[in-house]
C-alpha cells in the first residue's frame, strides 16, 4: 500500500559510500528489477556454485530510509569540517555504518536505550546534531532547539516513520486514542509515542500477550486500578483507562512482523465489537480502521522471506545488526522452518565448521560447531536486514564459497546477471 503512495519517493537515488555497495548484489538486484518491474515475483535468486547453492531473497538490504540517512550524514560531515558533529543516537542499527561515522569524528549523545552518553548541557548552538532515521521525541527536539540547534537542518527521520506520526495525528483529530504496536524501548517507538501523545491519549503494546491483558480493561475483567502499575511507563500523561480505551486506533512501529500487527488489530477490533455490541458496519464508532503502518521495506523483505522459505534448504543465514528490529523479524520467520544463524558480519563465520551467531531471544552470541552439513550440495537461504550494506552480504557469500572447490566464481555470476 505504501509502495504506491510513495513510489516517487522510492525512486530517488542516494549517494552512499562505495564500500557499502557490492557489484555482485547490484548486478542481481538490477536484473531482478528489470525482469519484474511490478515487484510481483518474490522467489529467491539461485547462486549455484556447485557444491554450495545459495538462495538469495528477492528483497533485502538498504531501504529508502537508511540510504537517505547515510547520504545526509556523510554529506553533513563533508559540509561541516571543523565543527563538532553529534548523532542523537545510533543513526541506524548497523555496527559498521555507526563505526564508520564515529571514525569520521561523529559522537553519539545517547545510546539506543535513550541513556545519555554526552549531556545536552555541554552542547552549543554552533554544534551540529543529526537526528537519526528513527526520528526523535518532541522533548529532545525542544531541548536541542532551546540550545539553538536547528534540528530540522540535519534531520534524517525516515518519511515512512513520519507517515506513522501523521496517521496518529489523523486518528487523534477524530477523537480516537492511539495504541502503538511496537518495541517500547526502540528509538522509533519512543519517537512515535511522543508524537502521538502530543495529540491524543496513547499507549504502547509490545505483543499479543500484552494486547490480551490490555483488552481486559476494555471488557471490565480487570480493575482499572491495576492498569497503572501493569502498563507503567507505557501510557501518556493523564491517560484515563476508563475513558481512553473506549475509542481508539492502532498504528505500529514500521518494522514489526506484519502478521503480529494484523493479529493485534483484528483482536482489538473484535473486543470492541463484542464489548459495545457493534457490527462491521458500526465498528468505526469506536475502532479507527487503519491499515498497518509497516513500511514498504518491511513488507517487501518479510514477503521475500516467505518466498525464500518455499525452497527446501539445510540452513538460513540472516545478516544484520543485532539490535535491528526488522532483521530480528526475518530471523524469527526463518527459525520456524530451519536452523537459522543471525550474524552481523562475515567474520562471524569463523570456519567451515564453526559460526558465532546471535540468539535474539536470549540476547547473547553463541558458537555452533558443524553448522554446514557434510553432504553436498549444501543449500543455504540468505537474506539481510534493511540497515545491512550489500557489501556485507557479498562478503558472506564469498566466505561460504571459499569452503568449497568450485569452477564458478563470483565474477562469473556478476557476468551472468549483468
Ligand atoms: S525500515 Fe522502513 S521505516 Fe525504517 S528506515 Fe527503512 S524505509 Fe524507513
Amino acid at each position: 500500500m505504501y509502495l504506491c503512495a510513495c513510489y516517487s519517493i522510492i525512486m530517488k537515488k542516494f549517494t552512499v559510500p562505495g564500500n557499502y555497495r557490492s557489484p555482485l548484489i547490484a548486478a542481481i538486484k538490477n536484473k531482478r528489477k528489470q525482469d519484474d518491474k511490478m515487484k510481483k515475483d518474490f522467489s529467491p535468486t539461485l547462486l549455484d556454485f556447485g557444491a554450495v547453492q545459495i538462495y538469495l531473497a528477492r528483497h533485502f538490504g538498504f531501504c529508502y530510509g537508511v540510504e537517505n540517512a547515510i547520504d545526509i550524514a556523510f554529506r553533513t560531515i563533508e559540509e561541516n569540517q571543523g565543527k563538532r558533529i553529534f548523532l542523537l543516537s545510533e543513526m541506524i542499527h548497523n555496527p559498521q555504518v555507526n563505526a564508520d561515522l564515529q571514525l569520521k569524528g561523529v559522537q553519539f549523545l545517547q545510546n539506543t536505550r535513550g541513556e545519555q552518553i554526552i549531556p545536552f548541557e555541554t552542547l552549543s548552538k554552533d554544534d551540529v546534531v543529526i537526528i537519526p532515521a528513527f526520528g526523535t521525541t518532541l522533548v529532545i527536539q525542544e531541548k536541542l532547539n532551546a540550545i539553538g540547534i536547528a534540528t530540522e537542518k540535519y534531520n534524517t527521520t525516515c518519511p515512512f516513520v513520519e507517515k506513522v506520526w501523521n496517521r496518529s495525528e489523523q486518528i487523534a483529530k477524530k477523537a480516537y486514542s492511539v495504541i502503538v504496536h511496537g518495541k517500547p524501548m526502540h528509538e522509533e517507538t519512543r519517537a512515535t509515542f511522543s508524537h502521538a501523545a502530543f495529540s491524543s491519549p496513547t499507549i504502547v503494546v509490545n505483543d499479543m500477550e500484552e494486547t490480551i491483558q490490555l483488552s481486559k480493561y476494555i471488557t471490565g475483567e480487570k480493575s482499572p486500578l491495576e492498569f497503572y502499575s501493569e502498563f507503567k511507563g507505557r501510557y501518556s500523561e493523564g491517560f484515563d483507562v476508563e475513558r481512553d480505551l473506549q475509542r481508539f486506533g492502532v498504528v505500529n512501529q514500521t518494522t514489526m512482523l506484519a502478521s503480529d500487527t494484523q493479529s493485534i488489530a483484528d483482536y482489538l477490533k473484535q473486543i470492541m465489537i463484542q464489548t459495545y455490541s457493534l457490527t462491521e458496519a458500526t465498528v468505526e464508532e469506536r475502532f479507527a480502521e487503519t491499515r498497518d503502518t509497516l513500511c514498504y521495506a518491511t513488507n517487501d523483505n518479510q514477503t521475500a522471506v516467505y518466498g525464500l522459505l518455499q525452497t527446501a534448504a539445510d540452513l538460513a543465514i540472516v545478516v544484520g545488526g543485532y539490535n535491528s528490529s526488522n532483521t530480528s523479524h526475518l530471523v524469527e520467520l526463518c527459525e520456524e522452518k530451519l536452523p537459522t544463524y543471525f550474524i552481523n558480519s562475515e567474520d562471524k563465520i569463523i570456519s567451515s565448521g564453526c559460526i558465532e551467531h546471535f540468539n535474539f531471544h536470549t540476547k547473547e552470541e553463541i558458537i555452533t560447531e558443524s553448522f554446514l552439513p557434510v553432504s553436498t550440495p549444501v543449500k543455504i537461504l540468505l537474506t539481510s536486514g534493511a540497515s545491512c550494506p550489500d557489501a556485507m552480504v557479498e562478503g558472506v557469500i564469498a566466505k561460504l564459497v571459499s569452503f568449497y572447490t568450485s569452477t564458478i566464481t563470483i565474477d562469473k555470476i556478476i557476468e551472468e546477471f549483468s
Side-chain angles (χ1 to χ4, degrees):
M1 109 190 109
Y2 269 18
L3 182 64
C4 300
C6 298
Y7 196 64
S8 57
I9 296 176
I10 292 165
M11 297 308 285
K12 204 170 150 188
K13 289 257 184 270
F14 298 104
T15 306
V16 307
N19 60 324
Y20 297 158
R21 302 282 192 208
S22 147
L24 171 69
I25 305 300
I28 294 168
K29 283 186 175 174
N30 285 339
K31 177 81 170 70
R32 292 293 310 257
K33 202 165 155 189
Q34 270 171 19
D35 294 349
D36 174 33
K37 290 197 173 72
M38 299 309 288
K39 297 215 292 189
K40 291 202 181 313
D41 179 6
F42 285 88
S43 62
T45 306
L46 169 61
L47 308 183
D48 191 350
F49 294 94
V52 59
Q53 296 177 342
I54 296 171
Y55 290 84
L56 205 49
R58 168 72 173 93
H59 298 285
F60 61 90
F62 280 179
C63 58
Y64 176 95
V66 165
E67 294 218 348
N68 178 46
I70 291 175
D71 187 343
I72 295 174
F74 282 93
R75 216 160 2 99
T76 302
I77 296 168
E78 287 298 309
E79 289 169 4
N80 289 281
Q81 302 285 330
K83 282 197 173 188
R84 296 199 306 169
I85 303 177
F86 298 92
L87 250 165
L88 200 47
S89 62
E90 287 192 6
M91 191 178 60
I92 55 172
H93 286 154
N94 184 273
Q96 185 192 346
V97 176
N98 290 314
D100 287 349
L101 289 166
Q102 283 177 302
L103 267 180
K104 288 189 171 286
V106 175
Q107 303 176 67
F108 291 170
L109 292 170
Q110 296 185 329
N111 65 19
T112 50
R113 291 180 300 283
E115 293 156 355
Q116 209 71 26
I117 302 170
I118 299 172
F120 288 142
E121 292 73 35
T122 61
L123 302 179
S124 84
K125 64 176 179 34
D126 297 324
D127 294 325
V128 172
V129 177
I130 304 172
I131 305 297
F134 316 109
T136 191
T137 65
L138 291 170
V139 171
I140 291 177
Q141 202 173 299
E142 279 161 17
K143 271 189 190 168
L144 294 171
N145 292 159
I147 299 167
I149 293 168
T151 42
E152 68 287 352
K153 198 162 174 199
Y154 303 105
N155 183 0
T156 77
T157 306
C158 178
F160 293 96
V161 173
E162 284 173 339
K163 273 200 155 210
V164 183
W165 301 349
N166 295 340
R167 185 77 62 89
S168 309
E169 208 180 309
Q170 286 161 8
I171 294 173
K173 274 190 186 144
K174 293 181 187 164
Y176 292 101
S177 303
V178 175
I179 297 179
V180 183
H181 171 218
K183 297 180 178 174
M185 290 313 291
H186 191 283
E187 294 99 316
E188 183 192 316
T189 295
R190 282 190 273 124
T192 295
F193 175 80
S194 156
H195 283 260
F198 182 71
S199 337
S200 172
T202 303
I203 180 161
V204 178
V205 287
N206 191 25
D207 52 25
M208 183 54 113
E209 183 46 43
E210 286 188 5
T211 306
I212 292 169
Q213 294 314 314
L214 183 70
S215 73
K216 291 181 181 168
Y217 296 103
I218 300 171
T219 58
E221 281 169 75
K222 277 191 161 181
S223 151
L225 288 176
E226 278 178 68
F227 170 83
Y228 299 98
S229 53
E230 187 174 359
F231 283 90
K232 190 163 183 255
R234 302 288 191 81
Y235 53 83
S236 55
E237 208 182 321
F239 194 95
D240 180 335
V241 65
E242 289 174 275
R243 179 195 63 203
D244 296 331
L245 288 178
Q246 290 190 21
R247 184 177 158 88
F248 57 79
V250 180
V251 299
N252 54 2
Q253 186 183 321
T254 54
T255 51
M256 300 306 276
L257 198 57
S259 52
D260 282 355
T261 291
Q262 193 57 53
S263 308
I264 284 171
D266 289 348
Y267 181 81
L268 287 170
K269 184 175 168 181
Q270 285 313 312
I271 289 288
M272 294 307 265
I273 288 177
Q274 285 160 19
T275 308
Y276 292 99
S277 306
L278 300 168
T279 63
E280 283 292 338
T282 59
V283 70
E284 256 193 285
E285 288 170 17
R286 293 185 180 270
F287 183 83
E289 275 298 350
T290 56
R291 287 193 287 174
D292 70 55
T293 46
L294 296 164
C295 74
Y296 85 95
T298 297
N299 272 317
D300 283 356
N301 292 355
Q302 287 178 12
T303 312
V305 164
Y306 286 116
L308 190 62
L309 291 170
Q310 299 299 311
T311 302
D314 298 297
L315 63 134
I317 293 179
V318 181
V319 197
Y322 295 158
N323 53 354
S324 160
S325 165
N326 79 84
T327 314
S328 64
H329 290 310
L330 304 181
V331 175
E332 208 176 328
L333 293 176
C334 291
E335 272 181 353
E336 284 173 15
K337 274 285 198 57
L338 76 175
T340 300
Y341 303 97
F342 182 5
I343 57 174
N344 64 9
S345 151
E346 66 260 33
D347 298 338
K348 298 292 174 180
I349 305 174
I350 296 161
S351 69
S352 60
C354 182
I355 189 167
E356 186 174 22
H357 56 104
F358 189 66
N359 180 331
F360 80 92
H361 306 283
T362 60
K363 309 273 179 249
E364 55 188 6
E365 272 192 314
I366 48 175
I367 290 198
T368 299
E369 309 279 352
S370 311
F371 76 104
L372 291 173
V374 177
S375 60
T376 57
V378 175
K379 292 186 178 205
I380 301 173
L381 308 183
L382 180 61
T383 188
S384 75
S387 48
C388 178
D390 281 349
M392 204 170 272
V393 175
E394 180 173 335
V396 169
I397 294 169
K399 190 75 162 272
L400 291 167
V401 172
S402 73
F403 301 141
Y404 300 89
T405 313
S406 175
T407 51
I408 317 284
T409 61
I410 285 190
D411 284 344
K412 197 156 180 207
I413 303 248
I414 296 175
E415 242 174 67
E416 257 177 46
F417 281 91
S418 294

